[in-house]
Amino acid sequence: MKKSILFCLLVLITFGLQAQKESKDIVAIKEVIEKETKAFFEIDYTTWQAQWAHVPHSFWSFADTTDVNFFSGWDEINKGFEKYFKTSKPSNAKIEREWVSMNVYGKAAYVVFKQKVEDETIERGEQAEVRFLEKINGKWKIVTVAVIRKPKEH
């Protein structure tokens, strides 16, 4: 009887510790995504690039009714955004985000959310976004960004 109770307690503690670990990971993942987005609009290249995994399998894509763009590999992503970070002006964008799902698989995470961005110059339609992250040297880094912007409703 004592062994059964002890076993049950150990199982509960193990599951509790696993849930706590995932919660810390989820908080850290959200922070990375929020930092990357904020740095993008504030034209803070150093912070923006620090949220990314600088690996050949990194991928960035964007699609809306007017255009489709993508960059494959960190070098191409970095080069693709070079002009943006040199010529754009910082924005005090208001970002509304609705987390749809977050799945953590050990050292990988798949995140889906909806996002709406408004700033002083433009109001954009809602965007469906996906992030794939990897835990590298104990820190979550973005590997994939996929954005599909819905047309703005009039």
Side-chain angles (χ1 to χ4, degrees), residues 12 14 16 21 30-31 50-51 69 73 81 99-100 119 125 128 137:
L12 288 172
T14 301
K21 179 180 182 275
K30 285 180 179 181
E31 285 176 0
Q51 307 316 304
N69 288 296
F81 282 98
W99 301 103
V100 176
D119 65 19
N137 297 324

Side-chain angles (χ1 to χ4, degrees), residues 29-47:
I29 289 164
K30 285 180 179 181
E31 285 176 0
V32 167
I33 292 168
E34 289 165 353
K35 274 185 189 175
E36 187 266 349
T37 302
K38 186 174 187 234
F40 180 82
F41 285 104
E42 291 179 351
I43 317 302
D44 177 356
Y45 173 76
T46 302
T47 301

Side-chain angles (χ1 to χ4, degrees), residues 59-77:
F59 187 81
W60 176 91
S61 64
F62 176 88
D64 68 5
T65 57
T66 63
D67 200 10
V68 174
N69 288 296
F70 71 92
F71 300 114
S72 187
W74 171 250
D75 291 341
E76 195 173 307
I77 293 167

Side-chain angles (χ1 to χ4, degrees), residues 25 28 107 134-141:
D25 283 331
K107 292 185 177 187
E134 292 179 355
K135 200 173 209 179
I136 301 170
N137 297 324
K139 295 186 182 219
W140 287 102
K141 299 289 183 175

Side-chain angles (χ1 to χ4, degrees), residues 6-8 14 18 23-24 26 30 39 42-43 45-46 54-55 57-58 74 78 100 105 112 132:
L6 183 59
F7 177 76
C8 288
T14 301
Q18 182 63 30
S23 294
K24 287 180 183 179
I26 288 172
K30 285 180 179 181
E42 291 179 351
I43 317 302
Y45 173 76
T46 302
H54 299 187
V55 294
H57 60 277
S58 291
W74 171 250
N78 195 37
V100 176
Y105 308 100
V112 178
F132 182 78

Side-chain angles (χ1 to χ4, degrees), residues 85-103:
F85 280 100
K86 286 182 179 178
T87 62
S88 297
K89 300 212 181 307
S91 164
N92 293 321
K94 177 183 169 197
I95 300 162
E96 294 177 23
R97 189 177 291 115
E98 176 189 336
W99 301 103
V100 176
S101 66
M102 292 192 121
N103 298 292

